[in-house]
Amino acid sequence: MSPRPMVRPGGRSARVQGSVHAAVRELVGEVGRDALTVPMVATRAGVTPSTIYRRWGDLQELLSDVAVERLRPETDPADLGSLRADLDAWAEQFLDEMASPPGRAYIRDALLGDPDGTNAGQCSAYAAEQIDVVLARAVQRGSRCPRRNC
């Protein structure tokens, strides 16, 4: 059973998602992802296992959803004053993050629990949004943009 796409929910739905995501992150740190179970997550999050199964389908899809949220950039790329410097810094940071053990684990989880490709697309969209910020800055500076639609 594949869950409905996760659109930033509000109200109770947001609280459930937040508490379940937090429970997953805490428990992975405490017991490891191989020992993680839906009942453990449900108990820690203060929800019933059926809530998790109804919303996420299974543990792998839940881990995938948590991974995609963790892969969302928290800030805009650094503004170093030039397109080249901004792109170099972004690419270096992206490579460091994706090559790190946590980064590889998040990518693996994001893709393994992604039966319809939605999460892979979301991860790609995050990277594209970051590049768009860098390119928009370049245009504002009066730099030539390497893309036709800039």
Side-chain angles (χ1 to χ4, degrees):
M1 165 159 87
S2 185
R4 285 176 269 171
M6 290 297 177
V7 184
R8 291 185 173 248
R12 181 180 185 282
S13 185
R15 287 189 301 275
V16 167
Q17 180 176 341
S19 65
V20 170
H21 279 214
V24 168
R25 290 189 305 271
E26 292 166 5
L27 288 166
V28 165
E30 293 171 17
V31 302
R33 71 183 292 292
D34 291 337
L36 194 65
T37 66
V38 168
M40 289 170 74
V41 172
T43 298
R44 176 68 60 98
V47 300
T48 63
S50 65
T51 297
I52 293 173
Y53 290 121
R54 184 174 46 255
R55 181 155 185 170
W56 285 279
D58 62 21
L59 182 60
Q60 190 58 58
E61 289 187 44
L62 171 58
L63 288 170
S64 182
D65 189 50
V66 171
V68 169
E69 188 61 31
R70 298 295 289 176
L71 290 167
R72 177 188 309 270
E74 295 176 1
T75 61
D76 282 344
D79 185 351
L80 301 175
S82 75
L83 176 61
R84 177 65 185 244
D86 290 356
L87 285 175
D88 284 348
W90 179 84
E92 184 176 329
Q93 180 182 356
F94 184 83
L95 178 61
D96 287 348
E97 289 174 3
M98 295 303 109
S100 71
R104 287 193 315 267
Y106 288 138
I107 291 292
R108 181 184 61 243
D109 284 341
L111 298 178
L112 284 175
D114 189 20
D116 61 2
T118 303
N119 291 342
Q122 186 59 57
C123 291
S124 294
Y126 292 155
E129 289 167 6
Q130 294 276 288
I131 296 298
D132 286 343
V133 167
V134 170
L135 294 175
R137 277 193 207 134
V139 168
Q140 289 174 339
R141 290 185 197 115
S143 299
R144 287 185 42 184
C145 183
R147 291 185 5 191
R148 289 182 306 190
N149 61 346
C150 290

